Amino acid sequence: MDIALIGYGKMGKAIERIAIERGHDIVCRINSANRNEFESEAFRKADVAIEFTTPLSAFDNCKRCFESGVPVVSGTTGWLERMEELKKICDEKNAAFFYSSNFSIGVNIFFALNRYLAKIMNRFGEYDVSMKEIHHIHKLDHPSGTAITLAHDIIDNVDRKKSWSEESAGEDVVNIVSERVGEVPGTHIVNYVSSVDAIRIEHEAFSREGFAAGAVAAAEWLAGRKGWFTMEDMLDFNV
């Protein structure tokens, strides 16, 4: 495939290396300094774009992909408030879009495990649930998109929880603690604690490799499709 990269930081470079190893060509690299490349012939002819940028630019980047007829895979987090607006544009343009807060296969197994555990724990009100996420100091948004996905899946399955918050805890709130430490790629911990014991599940990433490989796999899967997709569509765990 011919791939356009939108965002050429550490993630973009990891995606580039894995894509080339898998036999794909990188035909366009767009960052904040050369946004005019959205108008280039190379970009318009790309089979797919992979977008990892910032919360402030992600919406416009994806919209420009739709306008050029280029399918897009996005892993930028921190802009969920505009997702519904983008979905509407995707439908109007008959475009192809694949979004995940985390493209790691391991994290998506963790998502499925989190949903399954939440369904079980719905019966046991003596356990309170909270979360912690730890990332590198360069990550701009908090809590992480992965943590927000985990929290929403808990809220959807544990009736006593109605919202999440970084500032407060309570019977109806999933409290999320965010830490930014060194170059940590990403750790997520879900805790269920009662007066007598605790149940804990954790995912720890060792590098960006898993995220990059999952993004390239998503781009390969998206080829030839139209619509709005997530990792659940690609992996189909049915949990």
Side-chain angles (χ1 to χ4, degrees), residues 114 117-118 121 124-131 150-151 154-155 158 160-161 163 169-176 189-194 199:
N114 177 60
L117 180 58
M121 299 308 290
F124 300 97
E126 63 268 33
Y127 288 87
D128 193 31
V129 57
S130 62
M131 294 171 48
L150 290 163
I154 291 168
I155 292 163
V158 177
R160 58 190 178 274
K161 295 298 180 181
S163 62
E171 290 186 2
D172 62 347
V173 176
V174 179
N175 181 243
I176 305 175
I189 304 164
V190 179
N191 289 297
Y192 287 87
V193 181
S194 76
I199 300 167

Side-chain angles (χ1 to χ4, degrees), residues 54-188:
T54 69
L56 292 177
S57 61
F59 178 89
D60 185 60
N61 292 338
C62 296
K63 183 180 175 184
R64 294 188 77 165
C65 290
F66 296 166
E67 291 169 349
S68 296
V70 177
V72 57
V73 171
S74 175
T76 305
T77 60
W79 58 291
L80 288 177
E81 71 280 357
R82 301 202 72 182
M83 280 293 182
E84 289 303 317
E85 184 181 352
L86 192 67
K87 282 184 180 180
K88 183 177 179 181
I89 298 171
C90 181
D91 289 341
E92 290 172 351
K93 298 288 186 181
N94 191 31
F97 184 79
F98 192 117
Y99 177 77
S100 180
S101 60
N102 195 310
F103 282 93
S104 161
I105 301 301
V107 164
N108 281 274
I109 293 170
F110 189 64
F111 285 155
L113 179 61
N114 177 60
R115 290 193 295 271
Y116 183 66
L117 180 58
K119 290 174 184 177
I120 293 172
M121 299 308 290
N122 188 42
R123 296 171 51 199
F124 300 97
E126 63 268 33
Y127 288 87
D128 193 31
V129 57
S130 62
M131 294 171 48
K132 178 185 282 189
E133 60 97 349
I134 309 166
H135 281 86
H136 51 82
I137 59 174
H138 314 290
K139 186 168 179 59
L140 299 178
D141 58 309
H142 63 87
S144 67
T146 299
I148 292 172
T149 298
L150 290 163
H152 280 298
D153 284 344
I154 291 168
I155 292 163
D156 287 345
N157 289 285
V158 177
D159 294 338
R160 58 190 178 274
K161 295 298 180 181
K162 308 300 181 185
S163 62
W164 63 266
S165 173
E166 291 184 279
E167 286 78 33
S168 63
E171 290 186 2
D172 62 347
V173 176
V174 179
N175 181 243
I176 305 175
V177 174
S178 297
E179 295 182 3
R180 297 293 174 261
V181 180
E183 297 296 330
V184 175
T187 298
H188 294 85

